[in-house]
Amino acid sequence: MKLHIQNETSRLRAVILGSAMSNGGVPAIAEAYDPKSIQHIKAGTYPKEAAMVQEMEAVFNVFKKYDVQVFRPEVIEDYNQIFARDIALVIDDKFIQSNILPDREKEIKAIQYVIDQIDPAKVYKAPSADIHFEGGDIIVHNDHIFIGTYHGADYADCIVARTNPEGVAYIQSICPEKTVVSFDLNKSMQNPMDNALHLDCCFQPVGRGKAIIHKEGFRNPKEYQYLVDFFGIENIFHIQKDEMYHMFSNIFSISEDVVISEQNFTRLNHWLRDQGITVEEVPYAEIAKQEGLLRCSTMPLIREA
């Protein structure tokens, strides 16, 4: 398999889509990785497996409609395998395995059959456990790579901080020809309204030169302003705090002209259509209860040049 990912919006040809099969039921609070999941565990509204399977099948059917080759992880019994973006990413022709939370190591083994189809010289893994990054924090944008990180003094105790400066440096080291720009994100294990779990929870390019941004997701106003200057204020859709909570920036592009979006994202979907973009609406509100949405549950392998 010849990998090719240069941005978030070129025509998609192959993708890994996570799985909600045998999801493992409602976790204990101590087992949850994010404040939104904890909120729903406490409220008794944590998503049911059947509903999540149905939501992911709706996405699978959209991919088939657009002739996208879809790979699924091998099912591990009683194990959450929805968020394929966390465990690895592709930059150009490089497959880069994330340094993820230790409890999630099984997930990479479930896509080993895909990795086996890739030139081993193009498969990368960070050489040290001290190098942390996840795919949701890394956004490839042609000759730029945007990376979410966290510079708080409590990083070591902050379970929602997934990418550290060492992770940023590692990505730069294997992509020296790219301009890497990092963004210090706001984190909160207590309040999901204040938690940018990954960069794609508060920012994502879309269409032709457009972007979705949540200003309050950035700890440093100058870093937010960098993106405004980069894309142009007239090309940005700003999402509000409640829209960030519902994951408005975590849609997924099949091409510059087609996106998959949650069916309840009325304001965003209207704006996307105003930009000339076809919006394939799917139900994904149950999966969103785990603080992840469409980009989080997909890992693109091949996009056209």
Side-chain angles (χ1 to χ4, degrees), residues 103-153:
D103 290 348
R104 300 182 62 185
E105 285 290 340
K106 291 181 184 177
E107 290 180 65
I108 197 74
K109 296 177 182 176
I111 60 167
Q112 186 61 47
Y113 80 97
V114 179
I115 300 171
D116 289 342
Q117 300 177 47
I118 301 166
D119 178 357
K122 299 294 185 179
V123 177
Y124 293 76
K125 189 177 190 308
S128 168
D130 295 329
I131 298 171
H132 303 161
F133 60 90
E134 290 186 350
D137 271 324
I138 301 174
I139 292 177
V140 184
H141 192 71
N142 303 315
D143 58 352
H144 283 69
I145 302 175
F146 303 126
I147 304 182
T149 185
Y150 181 60
H151 294 295

Side-chain angles (χ1 to χ4, degrees), residues 206-220:
V206 67
R208 293 177 174 84
K210 312 290 183 182
I212 304 165
I213 295 179
H214 177 58
K215 180 179 180 179
E216 290 78 9
F218 299 85
R219 296 179 78 202
N220 186 339

Side-chain angles (χ1 to χ4, degrees), residues 1 3-17 63 68-69 71 84-85 88-92 94-96 114 118 135 138 140 204 251-254 294-304:
M1 183 189 305
L3 305 176
H4 189 268
I5 298 293
Q6 292 185 314
N7 54 52
E8 300 289 322
T9 57
S10 293
R11 180 62 161 90
L12 182 71
R13 289 301 178 191
V15 67
I16 296 175
L17 173 66
F63 285 143
V68 175
Q69 184 178 15
F71 298 91
R85 181 77 62 156
L89 66 144
V90 176
I91 301 175
D92 293 336
K94 301 177 179 72
F95 182 92
I96 307 165
V114 179
I118 301 166
I138 301 174
V140 184
Q204 187 176 179
I251 62 173
F252 183 78
S253 294
I254 290 179
L294 291 154
R295 188 178 187 273
C296 290
S297 52
T298 50
M299 197 221 319
L301 299 170
I302 302 171
R303 292 186 185 269
E304 291 179 358

